[in-house]
């Protein structure tokens, strides 16, 4: 049995941490094996997603793939010559001027901009820095879906927020593509 976990996983199937699950060290594969009685393997969720996309998904047959998973956080897997070579692209520093801390403890991470939590953070910041009319001002507890819905309806503040998200995500993918020269870039989540 296999499982994908958000965070770094070593060769023994142990998670050093799972940032957005607020886990510390966990021997995930061992625990899963003990619970099921089956041989268990654990891998980083975005790396597993990248392998799946290269095998049977949007990048089927590609040997060089960048996969980005957008959700609560930002995950990713980079495949070179058919093998996973890197992950955790959500914690690549893309904004050296950022002072707010990411959930991982660093600052300026891609995840602080392109994740659902990042979108909410940027929207709240934009609302606090302006008195501009926005449908988001009438939203009691802003979620990423609210920002995206406001963006789709043409709300100027939401459009600026999503422009920043797109700029940061596109810039990061451009840097990764310059390094990897992928056959395909897959965005999912």
């Amino acid at each position: 049995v296999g499982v994908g976990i958000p965070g770094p996983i070593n060769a023994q199937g142990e998670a050093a941490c799972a940032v957005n699950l607020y886990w510390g060290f966990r021997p995930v594969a061992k625990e899963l094996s003990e619970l099921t009685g089956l041989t268990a393997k654990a891998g980083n969720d975005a790396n597993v997603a990248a392998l799946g996309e290269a095998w049977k998904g949007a990048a089927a047959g590609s040997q060089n793939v960048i996969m980005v998973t957008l959700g609560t956080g930002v995950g990713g897997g980079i495949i070179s010559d058919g093998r996973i070579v890197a992950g955790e692209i959500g914690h690549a520093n893309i904004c050296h001027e950022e002072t707010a801390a990411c959930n991982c403890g660093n600052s300026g991470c891609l995840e602080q901009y392109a994740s659902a939590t990042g979108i909410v953070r940027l929207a709240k910041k934009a609302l606090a820095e302006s008195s501009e009319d926005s449908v988001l001002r009438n939203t009691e507890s802003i979620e990423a879906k609210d920002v995206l819905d406001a963006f789709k309806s043409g709300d100027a503040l939401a459009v600026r927020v999503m422009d920043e998200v797109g700029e940061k995500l596109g810039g990061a993918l451009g840097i990764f593509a310059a390094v990897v020269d992928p056959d395909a870039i897959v965005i999912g989540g």
Side-chain angles (χ1 to χ4, degrees), residues 17-84:
C17 67
V19 174
N20 292 316
L21 295 177
Y22 305 99
W23 286 1
F25 174 84
R26 278 225 44 191
V28 177
K30 180 177 180 256
E31 289 177 359
L32 188 58
S33 183
E34 289 171 355
L35 287 169
T36 64
L38 301 170
T39 300
K41 299 284 183 183
N44 172 271
D45 60 343
N47 287 349
V48 172
L51 289 168
E53 291 292 347
W55 178 42
K56 295 282 186 182
S62 297
Q63 292 294 300
N64 301 295
V65 177
I66 297 172
M67 170 78 186
V68 179
T69 57
L70 304 176
T72 302
V74 174
I78 298 175
I79 299 173
S80 181
D81 290 328
R83 302 185 70 151
I84 286 285

Side-chain angles (χ1 to χ4, degrees), residues 25-148:
F25 174 84
R26 278 225 44 191
V28 177
K30 180 177 180 256
E31 289 177 359
L32 188 58
S33 183
E34 289 171 355
L35 287 169
T36 64
L38 301 170
T39 300
K41 299 284 183 183
N44 172 271
D45 60 343
N47 287 349
V48 172
L51 289 168
E53 291 292 347
W55 178 42
K56 295 282 186 182
S62 297
Q63 292 294 300
N64 301 295
V65 177
I66 297 172
M67 170 78 186
V68 179
T69 57
L70 304 176
T72 302
V74 174
I78 298 175
I79 299 173
S80 181
D81 290 328
R83 302 185 70 151
I84 286 285
V85 294
E88 294 307 317
I89 65 175
H91 297 290
N93 183 295
I94 58 145
C95 185
H96 300 292
E97 297 81 28
E98 182 62 64
T99 57
C102 178
N103 284 340
C104 74
N106 293 325
S107 59
C109 296
L110 177 60
E111 184 166 301
Q112 290 181 272
Y113 299 91
S115 65
T117 53
I119 290 169
V120 169
R121 181 182 78 91
L122 292 175
K124 287 180 178 179
K125 181 179 175 191
L127 288 166
E129 292 175 351
S130 124
S131 58
E132 172 181 7
D133 283 340
S134 172
V135 67
L136 296 172
R137 290 199 187 280
N138 303 323
T139 306
E140 190 171 311
S141 179
I142 297 173
E143 296 184 11
K145 183 182 183 320
D146 300 319
V147 180
L148 293 168

